[in-house]
Amino acid sequence: LNPSIAGLYNNRGNVYFELKQYEEAIIDYKKAIEIIPNYYECLSNLGSALFKLNKTSEAKNYITRRRAKEQKRMGENDTGTNTGGMGA
């Protein structure tokens, strides 16, 4: 799949989030993460939407996942082994 589609899902999820349509936002965020599992912004967005629905445990899992992936990426960048980006 084209990675730019993940960005479209994330953006639409953001619109749903702003409209307080959190269930719809979650669906789109999860679709984006299926395309790019390391989509850091989207992992955070998903966590935020889940928190809004009081799905605290699931939300924490996505926030923790985002932090772990970002820390790993930052460590790889320090050694020059990864160029960063939305994911991959």
Coordinates of all heavy atoms in Angstrom, one line a residue:
L1 N 0.8 -1.2 0.0 CA 0.0 0.0 0.0 C 0.9 1.2 0.0 O 2.0 1.3 0.5 CB -0.9 0.0 1.2 CG -2.0 -1.0 1.3 CD1 -2.7 -1.0 2.6 CD2 -3.0 -0.8 0.2
N2 N 0.3 2.3 -0.6 CA 1.0 3.6 -0.6 C 1.0 4.2 0.8 O 0.0 4.4 1.4 CB 0.3 4.5 -1.6 CG 1.0 5.8 -1.8 OD1 1.7 6.2 -1.0 ND2 0.6 6.4 -3.0
P3 N 2.2 4.5 1.3 CA 2.3 5.1 2.6 C 1.5 6.4 2.8 O 1.1 6.8 3.9 CB 3.8 5.3 2.8 CG 4.5 4.4 2.0 CD 3.6 4.2 0.8
S4 N 1.4 7.2 1.7 CA 0.6 8.4 1.8 C -0.8 8.2 2.2 O -1.5 9.1 2.8 CB 0.7 9.2 0.5 OG 0.1 8.6 -0.5
I5 N -1.3 7.0 1.9 CA -2.7 6.7 2.3 C -2.8 6.7 3.8 O -3.8 7.1 4.4 CB -3.2 5.4 1.7 CG1 -3.3 5.5 0.2 CG2 -4.5 4.9 2.3 CD1 -3.5 4.2 -0.5
A6 N -1.8 6.3 4.5 CA -1.8 6.3 6.0 C -1.9 7.7 6.5 O -2.7 8.0 7.4 CB -0.5 5.7 6.5
G7 N -1.3 8.7 5.8 CA -1.4 10.1 6.2 C -2.9 10.6 6.0 O -3.4 11.4 6.8
L8 N -3.5 10.1 5.0 CA -4.9 10.5 4.7 C -5.8 9.9 5.8 O -6.7 10.6 6.3 CB -5.4 10.0 3.4 CG -4.6 10.6 2.2 CD1 -5.1 9.9 0.9 CD2 -4.8 12.1 2.1
Y9 N -5.6 8.7 6.2 CA -6.4 8.1 7.3 C -6.1 8.9 8.6 O -7.1 9.2 9.4 CB -6.0 6.6 7.5 CG -6.7 5.7 6.6 CD1 -6.0 4.8 5.8 CD2 -8.1 5.6 6.5 CE1 -6.6 3.9 4.9 CE2 -8.8 4.7 5.7 CZ -8.0 3.9 4.9 OH -8.6 3.0 4.0
N10 N -4.9 9.2 8.9 CA -4.5 10.0 10.1 C -5.2 11.3 10.0 O -5.8 11.8 11.0 CB -3.0 10.2 10.2 CG -2.7 10.9 11.5 OD1 -3.0 10.4 12.6 ND2 -2.0 12.0 11.4
N11 N -5.2 12.0 8.9 CA -5.8 13.3 8.8 C -7.3 13.3 9.0 O -7.9 14.1 9.7 CB -5.5 14.0 7.5 CG -4.0 14.4 7.4 OD1 -3.4 14.5 8.4 ND2 -3.6 14.6 6.2
R12 N -7.9 12.2 8.4 CA -9.4 12.1 8.5 C -9.7 11.8 10.0 O -10.7 12.3 10.6 CB -10.0 11.0 7.6 CG -11.5 11.0 7.6 CD -12.1 10.2 6.5 NE -11.8 8.8 6.8 CZ -12.3 7.8 6.0 NH1 -13.0 8.1 4.9 NH2 -12.0 6.5 6.3
G13 N -8.9 10.9 10.6 CA -9.0 10.7 12.0 C -9.0 11.9 12.9 O -9.7 12.1 13.8
N14 N -8.1 12.8 12.5 CA -8.0 14.1 13.2 C -9.3 14.9 13.1 O -9.7 15.6 14.0 CB -6.8 14.9 12.7 CG -5.5 14.3 13.1 OD1 -5.4 13.5 14.0 ND2 -4.4 14.7 12.4
V15 N -9.9 14.9 11.9 CA -11.1 15.6 11.7 C -12.2 15.0 12.6 O -12.9 15.7 13.3 CB -11.6 15.6 10.2 CG1 -13.0 16.1 10.1 CG2 -10.6 16.4 9.4
Y16 N -12.3 13.7 12.6 CA -13.3 13.0 13.5 C -13.0 13.4 14.9 O -14.0 13.6 15.7 CB -13.2 11.5 13.3 CG -13.9 11.0 12.0 CD1 -13.2 10.0 11.2 CD2 -15.2 11.4 11.7 CE1 -13.8 9.5 10.1 CE2 -15.8 10.9 10.5 CZ -15.1 10.0 9.7 OH -15.7 9.5 8.6
F17 N -11.7 13.4 15.3 CA -11.4 13.7 16.7 C -11.9 15.1 17.1 O -12.5 15.3 18.1 CB -9.9 13.6 16.9 CG -9.4 13.7 18.3 CD1 -9.2 12.6 19.1 CD2 -9.2 15.0 18.9 CE1 -8.8 12.7 20.4 CE2 -8.8 15.1 20.2 CZ -8.6 14.0 21.0
E18 N -11.6 16.1 16.2 CA -12.1 17.4 16.4 C -13.6 17.5 16.5 O -14.1 18.4 17.2 CB -11.6 18.4 15.3 CG -10.1 18.6 15.4 CD -9.6 19.2 16.7 OE1 -10.3 20.2 17.2 OE2 -8.6 18.8 17.3
L19 N -14.3 16.7 15.8 CA -15.8 16.6 15.8 C -16.3 15.8 17.0 O -17.5 15.6 17.2 CB -16.3 16.1 14.5 CG -16.1 16.9 13.3 CD1 -16.5 16.1 12.0 CD2 -16.8 18.2 13.4
K20 N -15.3 15.3 17.9 CA -15.7 14.5 19.0 C -16.3 13.1 18.6 O -17.0 12.5 19.4 CB -16.5 15.2 20.0 CG -15.9 16.4 20.6 CD -16.7 17.1 21.6 CE -16.2 18.3 22.3 NZ -14.9 18.9 22.0
Q21 N -16.0 12.7 17.4 CA -16.4 11.4 16.9 C -15.3 10.4 17.1 O -14.6 10.0 16.1 CB -16.9 11.5 15.4 CG -18.1 12.4 15.3 CD -18.5 12.6 13.8 OE1 -18.0 11.9 12.9 NE2 -19.4 13.5 13.5
Y22 N -15.0 10.1 18.3 CA -13.8 9.3 18.7 C -13.8 7.9 18.1 O -12.7 7.4 17.7 CB -13.6 9.3 20.2 CG -13.6 10.7 20.8 CD1 -14.6 11.2 21.7 CD2 -12.6 11.6 20.3 CE1 -14.5 12.5 22.2 CE2 -12.6 12.9 20.8 CZ -13.5 13.3 21.7 OH -13.5 14.6 22.2
E23 N -14.9 7.2 18.1 CA -15.0 5.9 17.5 C -14.5 5.9 16.1 O -13.7 5.0 15.7 CB -16.4 5.2 17.7 CG -16.8 5.0 19.1 CD -16.1 3.8 19.7 OE1 -15.4 3.0 19.0 OE2 -16.3 3.6 20.9
E24 N -15.0 6.8 15.3 CA -14.6 6.9 13.9 C -13.1 7.3 13.8 O -12.4 6.8 12.9 CB -15.5 8.0 13.2 CG -16.9 7.6 13.0 CD -17.8 7.8 14.2 OE1 -17.3 8.3 15.3 OE2 -19.0 7.6 14.1
A25 N -12.7 8.2 14.6 CA -11.2 8.5 14.6 C -10.4 7.3 14.9 O -9.4 7.1 14.2 CB -11.0 9.6 15.7
I26 N -10.8 6.5 15.9 CA -10.0 5.3 16.2 C -9.9 4.4 15.0 O -8.9 3.8 14.7 CB -10.7 4.6 17.4 CG1 -10.4 5.5 18.7 CG2 -10.1 3.2 17.6 CD1 -11.2 5.1 19.9
I27 N -11.0 4.2 14.3 CA -11.0 3.3 13.1 C -10.0 3.8 12.1 O -9.2 3.0 11.6 CB -12.4 3.2 12.5 CG1 -13.4 2.5 13.4 CG2 -12.4 2.6 11.1 CD1 -14.8 2.6 13.1
D28 N -10.0 5.1 11.8 CA -9.0 5.6 10.9 C -7.6 5.5 11.4 O -6.7 5.2 10.6 CB -9.4 7.0 10.5 CG -10.5 7.1 9.4 OD1 -10.8 6.0 8.8 OD2 -11.0 8.2 9.1
Y29 N -7.4 5.9 12.6 CA -6.0 5.8 13.2 C -5.5 4.3 13.1 O -4.3 4.1 12.7 CB -6.0 6.3 14.6 CG -6.2 7.7 14.8 CD1 -6.9 8.2 15.9 CD2 -5.8 8.7 13.9 CE1 -7.2 9.5 16.1 CE2 -6.1 10.0 14.1 CZ -6.8 10.5 15.2 OH -7.0 11.8 15.4
K30 N -6.3 3.4 13.4 CA -5.9 2.0 13.3 C -5.6 1.6 11.9 O -4.7 0.8 11.6 CB -6.9 1.1 13.9 CG -6.9 1.1 15.5 CD -7.9 0.2 16.1 CE -7.8 0.2 17.6 NZ -8.7 -0.8 18.3
K31 N -6.4 2.1 10.9 CA -6.1 1.8 9.5 C -4.7 2.3 9.1 O -3.9 1.7 8.4 CB -7.2 2.3 8.6 CG -8.5 1.6 8.7 CD -9.5 2.2 7.8 CE -10.8 1.4 7.9 NZ -11.9 2.1 7.1
A32 N -4.4 3.6 9.6 CA -3.1 4.2 9.3 C -2.0 3.3 9.8 O -1.0 3.1 9.2 CB -3.1 5.6 9.8
I33 N -2.2 2.9 11.1 CA -1.1 2.1 11.7 C -1.0 0.7 11.1 O 0.1 0.2 11.1 CB -1.4 2.0 13.2 CG1 -1.3 3.4 13.9 CG2 -0.5 1.0 13.9 CD1 -1.8 3.5 15.3
E34 N -2.0 0.2 10.5 CA -1.9 -1.1 9.8 C -0.9 -0.9 8.6 O -0.2 -1.8 8.2 CB -3.2 -1.6 9.2 CG -4.1 -2.2 10.3 CD -5.5 -2.6 9.8 OE1 -5.6 -2.7 8.5 OE2 -6.4 -2.7 10.6
I35 N -1.0 0.3 7.9 CA -0.2 0.6 6.8 C 1.3 0.9 7.2 O 2.2 0.4 6.6 CB -0.8 1.8 6.0 CG1 -2.2 1.3 5.4 CG2 0.2 2.2 4.8 CD1 -3.0 2.5 4.9
I36 N 1.4 1.7 8.2 CA 2.7 2.1 8.8 C 2.7 1.9 10.3 O 2.3 2.8 11.0 CB 3.0 3.6 8.4 CG1 3.0 3.9 7.0 CG2 4.4 4.0 9.0 CD1 3.2 5.3 6.6
P37 N 3.2 0.7 10.7 CA 3.1 0.4 12.1 C 3.9 1.4 13.0 O 3.5 1.5 14.2 CB 3.8 -1.0 12.2 CG 3.5 -1.6 10.8 CD 3.6 -0.4 9.9
N38 N 4.9 2.0 12.5 CA 5.7 3.0 13.3 C 5.3 4.4 13.1 O 6.1 5.3 13.2 CB 7.2 2.8 13.0 CG 7.7 1.4 13.4 OD1 7.1 0.8 14.2 ND2 8.8 1.0 12.8
Y39 N 4.1 4.7 12.8 CA 3.6 6.0 12.5 C 3.4 6.7 13.8 O 2.3 6.6 14.4 CB 2.3 5.9 11.7 CG 1.8 7.2 11.0 CD1 0.9 7.1 10.0 CD2 2.3 8.5 11.4 CE1 0.4 8.3 9.4 CE2 1.8 9.6 10.8 CZ 0.9 9.5 9.8 OH 0.4 10.7 9.2
Y40 N 4.5 7.4 14.3 CA 4.5 7.9 15.7 C 3.4 8.8 16.0 O 2.7 8.7 17.0 CB 5.8 8.6 15.9 CG 7.0 7.7 15.6 CD1 7.8 8.0 14.5 CD2 7.3 6.6 16.3 CE1 8.9 7.2 14.2 CE2 8.4 5.8 16.0 CZ 9.2 6.1 14.9 OH 10.2 5.3 14.6
E41 N 3.1 9.8 15.1 CA 2.0 10.8 15.4 C 0.7 10.1 15.5 O -0.1 10.4 16.4 CB 2.0 11.8 14.2 CG 0.9 12.8 14.4 CD 0.7 13.7 13.2 OE1 1.7 13.7 12.3 OE2 -0.3 14.4 13.1
C42 N 0.5 9.1 14.7 CA -0.8 8.4 14.7 C -1.0 7.5 15.9 O -2.1 7.4 16.5 CB -0.9 7.6 13.4 SG -2.6 7.0 13.1
L43 N 0.1 6.9 16.4 CA 0.0 6.2 17.6 C -0.4 7.1 18.8 O -1.2 6.7 19.6 CB 1.4 5.5 17.9 CG 1.8 4.3 17.0 CD1 3.3 4.0 17.2 CD2 1.0 3.1 17.3
S44 N 0.1 8.3 18.8 CA -0.3 9.2 19.8 C -1.7 9.6 19.7 O -2.5 9.7 20.7 CB 0.6 10.5 19.8 OG 1.9 10.2 20.2
N45 N -2.1 9.9 18.4 CA -3.5 10.3 18.2 C -4.5 9.2 18.6 O -5.5 9.5 19.2 CB -3.7 10.6 16.7 CG -2.9 11.8 16.2 OD1 -2.5 12.7 17.1 ND2 -2.7 12.0 14.9
L46 N -4.1 8.0 18.3 CA -5.0 6.9 18.7 C -5.1 6.8 20.2 O -6.2 6.6 20.7 CB -4.4 5.6 18.1 CG -5.2 4.3 18.5 CD1 -6.6 4.4 18.1 CD2 -4.5 3.1 17.7
G47 N -4.0 6.9 20.9 CA -4.0 6.9 22.3 C -4.9 8.0 22.9 O -5.7 7.8 23.8
S48 N -4.8 9.2 22.3 CA -5.6 10.3 22.8 C -7.1 10.0 22.6 O -7.9 10.3 23.5 CB -5.3 11.6 22.0 OG -3.9 12.0 22.3
A49 N -7.5 9.5 21.4 CA -8.9 9.2 21.2 C -9.4 8.1 22.1 O -10.5 8.2 22.6 CB -9.1 8.7 19.7
L50 N -8.6 7.1 22.4 CA -8.9 6.0 23.3 C -9.1 6.6 24.7 O -10.1 6.2 25.4 CB -7.9 4.9 23.3 CG -7.9 4.1 22.0 CD1 -6.6 3.3 21.9 CD2 -9.1 3.2 22.0
F51 N -8.3 7.5 25.1 CA -8.4 8.2 26.4 C -9.8 8.9 26.5 O -10.4 8.9 27.6 CB -7.3 9.2 26.7 CG -6.1 8.6 27.4 CD1 -4.9 8.6 26.9 CD2 -6.2 8.0 28.7 CE1 -3.8 8.1 27.5 CE2 -5.2 7.4 29.4 CZ -3.9 7.5 28.8
K52 N -10.1 9.6 25.4 CA -11.4 10.3 25.4 C -12.6 9.4 25.7 O -13.6 9.8 26.2 CB -11.6 11.0 24.1 CG -10.7 12.2 23.9 CD -11.0 13.3 24.8 CE -10.2 14.6 24.5 NZ -10.6 15.7 25.3
L53 N -12.5 8.1 25.3 CA -13.5 7.1 25.5 C -13.3 6.3 26.8 O -13.9 5.3 27.0 CB -13.6 6.2 24.3 CG -14.1 6.9 23.0 CD1 -14.1 5.9 21.8 CD2 -15.4 7.5 23.1
N54 N -12.4 6.8 27.6 CA -12.1 6.1 28.9 C -11.5 4.7 28.7 O -11.7 3.9 29.6 CB -13.3 6.2 29.8 CG -13.6 7.6 30.3 OD1 -12.7 8.4 30.6 ND2 -14.9 7.9 30.2
K55 N -10.9 4.5 27.6 CA -10.3 3.2 27.3 C -8.8 3.3 27.7 O -7.9 3.2 26.9 CB -10.4 2.7 25.9 CG -11.9 2.5 25.5 CD -12.1 2.1 24.1 CE -13.5 1.8 23.8 NZ -13.7 1.3 22.4
T56 N -8.6 3.6 29.0 CA -7.3 4.0 29.5 C -6.2 2.9 29.3 O -5.1 3.3 28.9 CB -7.4 4.3 31.0 OG1 -8.5 5.2 31.2 CG2 -6.1 4.9 31.6
S57 N -6.5 1.7 29.6 CA -5.5 0.6 29.4 C -5.0 0.5 28.0 O -3.8 0.5 27.7 CB -6.1 -0.7 29.9 OG -5.1 -1.7 29.7
E58 N -6.0 0.5 27.0 CA -5.6 0.4 25.6 C -4.9 1.6 25.2 O -3.9 1.6 24.4 CB -6.9 0.2 24.8 CG -6.6 -0.2 23.3 CD -7.8 -0.4 22.5 OE1 -8.9 -0.4 23.0 OE2 -7.6 -0.6 21.3
A59 N -5.3 2.8 25.7 CA -4.7 4.1 25.3 C -3.2 4.1 25.8 O -2.3 4.4 25.0 CB -5.4 5.2 25.9
K60 N -3.0 3.6 27.0 CA -1.6 3.6 27.5 C -0.7 2.6 26.7 O 0.5 2.9 26.5 CB -1.6 3.1 29.0 CG -2.1 4.2 29.9 CD -2.1 3.7 31.3 CE -2.6 4.8 32.3 NZ -2.6 4.4 33.7
N61 N -1.3 1.6 26.2 CA -0.5 0.6 25.3 C 0.0 1.3 24.1 O 1.1 1.1 23.7 CB -1.4 -0.6 25.0 CG -1.6 -1.5 26.1 OD1 -0.8 -1.6 27.1 ND2 -2.6 -2.3 26.0
Y62 N -0.9 2.1 23.4 CA -0.4 2.8 22.2 C 0.6 3.9 22.5 O 1.5 4.1 21.8 CB -1.6 3.3 21.4 CG -2.3 2.3 20.7 CD1 -3.5 1.7 21.1 CD2 -1.8 1.8 19.5 CE1 -4.1 0.6 20.4 CE2 -2.4 0.8 18.8 CZ -3.6 0.2 19.3 OH -4.2 -0.8 18.6
I63 N 0.3 4.6 23.6 CA 1.3 5.7 24.0 C 2.6 5.1 24.3 O 3.7 5.6 23.9 CB 0.7 6.5 25.2 CG1 -0.6 7.2 24.8 CG2 1.8 7.5 25.7 CD1 -0.5 8.2 23.7
T64 N 2.6 4.0 25.1 CA 3.9 3.3 25.4 C 4.6 2.8 24.1 O 5.8 2.9 24.0 CB 3.6 2.2 26.4 OG1 3.0 2.7 27.6 CG2 4.9 1.4 26.8
R65 N 3.8 2.2 23.3 CA 4.3 1.7 22.0 C 5.0 2.8 21.2 O 6.1 2.7 20.7 CB 3.2 1.1 21.2 CG 3.6 0.5 19.9 CD 2.4 -0.2 19.3 NE 2.6 -0.3 17.8 CZ 1.7 -0.7 17.0 NH1 0.5 -1.0 17.4 NH2 1.9 -0.7 15.7
R66 N 4.3 4.0 21.1 CA 4.9 5.1 20.4 C 6.2 5.6 21.1 O 7.2 5.8 20.4 CB 3.9 6.3 20.5 CG 4.4 7.5 19.6 CD 4.2 8.8 20.4 NE 4.5 9.9 19.5 CZ 5.6 10.6 19.6 NH1 6.5 10.4 20.5 NH2 5.7 11.6 18.8
R67 N 6.2 5.7 22.4 CA 7.5 6.1 23.0 C 8.6 5.1 22.8 O 9.7 5.5 22.6 CB 7.2 6.3 24.5 CG 6.4 7.5 24.8 CD 6.2 7.7 26.3 NE 5.4 8.8 26.6 CZ 4.6 8.9 27.6 NH1 4.5 7.9 28.5 NH2 3.8 10.0 27.8
A68 N 8.3 3.9 22.9 CA 9.3 2.8 22.7 C 9.9 2.9 21.3 O 11.1 2.8 21.1 CB 8.8 1.4 23.0
K69 N 9.0 3.0 20.3 CA 9.5 3.1 18.9 C 10.2 4.4 18.6 O 11.2 4.3 17.9 CB 8.3 3.0 18.0 CG 7.7 1.6 17.9 CD 6.5 1.5 17.0 CE 5.9 0.1 17.0 NZ 6.8 -0.9 16.5
E70 N 9.8 5.5 19.2 CA 10.5 6.7 19.0 C 11.9 6.7 19.7 O 12.9 7.1 19.1 CB 9.7 7.9 19.6 CG 10.4 9.2 19.3 CD 9.5 10.4 19.7 OE1 8.9 10.3 20.8 OE2 9.5 11.3 18.9
Q71 N 12.0 6.1 20.9 CA 13.3 6.0 21.6 C 14.2 5.1 20.8 O 15.4 5.4 20.7 CB 13.1 5.4 23.0 CG 12.5 6.5 23.9 CD 12.2 5.9 25.3 OE1 12.2 4.7 25.5 NE2 11.9 6.8 26.2
K72 N 13.7 4.0 20.2 CA 14.5 3.1 19.4 C 15.0 3.9 18.2 O 16.2 3.8 17.8 CB 13.7 1.9 19.0 CG 14.5 0.9 18.2 CD 13.7 -0.3 17.8 CE 14.6 -1.2 16.9 NZ 13.8 -2.1 16.2
R73 N 14.1 4.6 17.6 CA 14.5 5.4 16.4 C 15.5 6.4 16.7 O 16.5 6.6 16.0 CB 13.2 6.1 15.8 CG 13.6 6.9 14.5 CD 12.3 7.6 14.0 NE 11.9 8.6 15.0 CZ 11.8 9.9 14.8 NH1 12.1 10.4 13.7 NH2 11.4 10.7 15.8
M74 N 15.4 7.1 17.8 CA 16.3 8.1 18.3 C 17.7 7.5 18.5 O 18.7 8.1 18.1 CB 15.8 8.9 19.5 CG 14.5 9.6 19.3 SD 14.7 11.0 18.1 CE 15.5 12.2 19.1
G75 N 17.7 6.3 19.1 CA 19.0 5.6 19.3 C 19.6 5.2 18.0 O 20.8 5.4 17.8
E76 N 18.8 4.8 17.0 CA 19.3 4.4 15.7 C 19.9 5.7 15.0 O 20.9 5.6 14.3 CB 18.3 3.7 14.9 CG 18.0 2.3 15.4 CD 16.8 1.7 14.8 OE1 16.1 2.4 14.0 OE2 16.5 0.5 15.0
N77 N 19.2 6.8 15.2 CA 19.6 8.0 14.5 C 21.0 8.4 15.1 O 21.8 9.0 14.3 CB 18.6 9.1 14.7 CG 17.5 9.0 13.7 OD1 17.5 8.3 12.7 ND2 16.4 9.7 14.0
D78 N 21.2 8.2 16.4 CA 22.5 8.6 17.0 C 23.6 7.8 16.3 O 24.7 8.3 16.3 CB 22.5 8.3 18.5 CG 21.6 9.3 19.2 OD1 21.2 10.3 18.6 OD2 21.2 9.0 20.4
T79 N 23.4 6.6 15.8 CA 24.4 5.8 15.2 C 24.4 5.9 13.7 O 25.2 5.3 13.0 CB 24.3 4.3 15.6 OG1 23.0 3.8 15.1 CG2 24.4 4.2 17.1
G80 N 23.4 6.7 13.2 CA 23.3 6.9 11.8 C 22.8 5.7 11.0 O 23.0 5.6 9.8
T81 N 22.0 4.8 11.7 CA 21.5 3.6 11.0 C 20.1 3.8 10.5 O 19.5 2.9 9.9 CB 21.6 2.4 11.9 OG1 20.8 2.7 13.1 CG2 23.0 2.1 12.3
N82 N 19.4 4.9 10.8 CA 18.1 5.1 10.4 C 17.9 6.5 10.1 O 18.4 7.4 10.7 CB 17.1 4.7 11.6 CG 15.7 4.7 11.2 OD1 15.3 5.2 10.2 ND2 14.8 4.2 12.1
T83 N 17.1 6.8 9.0 CA 16.9 8.2 8.6 C 15.6 8.8 9.2 O 15.3 9.9 8.9 CB 16.8 8.3 7.0 OG1 15.7 7.4 6.6 CG2 18.1 7.8 6.4
G84 N 14.8 8.0 9.9 CA 13.6 8.5 10.5 C 12.4 8.5 9.6 O 12.3 7.6 8.7
G85 N 11.6 9.5 9.7 CA 10.4 9.6 8.8 C 9.1 9.1 9.6 O 9.1 9.0 10.8
M86 N 8.1 8.9 8.8 CA 6.8 8.5 9.4 C 6.8 7.1 10.0 O 6.0 6.8 10.8 CB 5.7 8.5 8.3 CG 4.8 9.7 8.4 SD 3.2 9.4 7.6 CE 3.7 9.5 5.9
G87 N 7.7 6.3 9.6 CA 7.6 4.9 10.1 C 8.8 4.1 9.5 O 9.9 4.5 9.6
A88 N 8.4 3.0 9.0 CA 9.3 2.0 8.3 C 10.6 1.8 8.9 O 11.2 2.5 9.6 CB 9.3 2.2 6.9

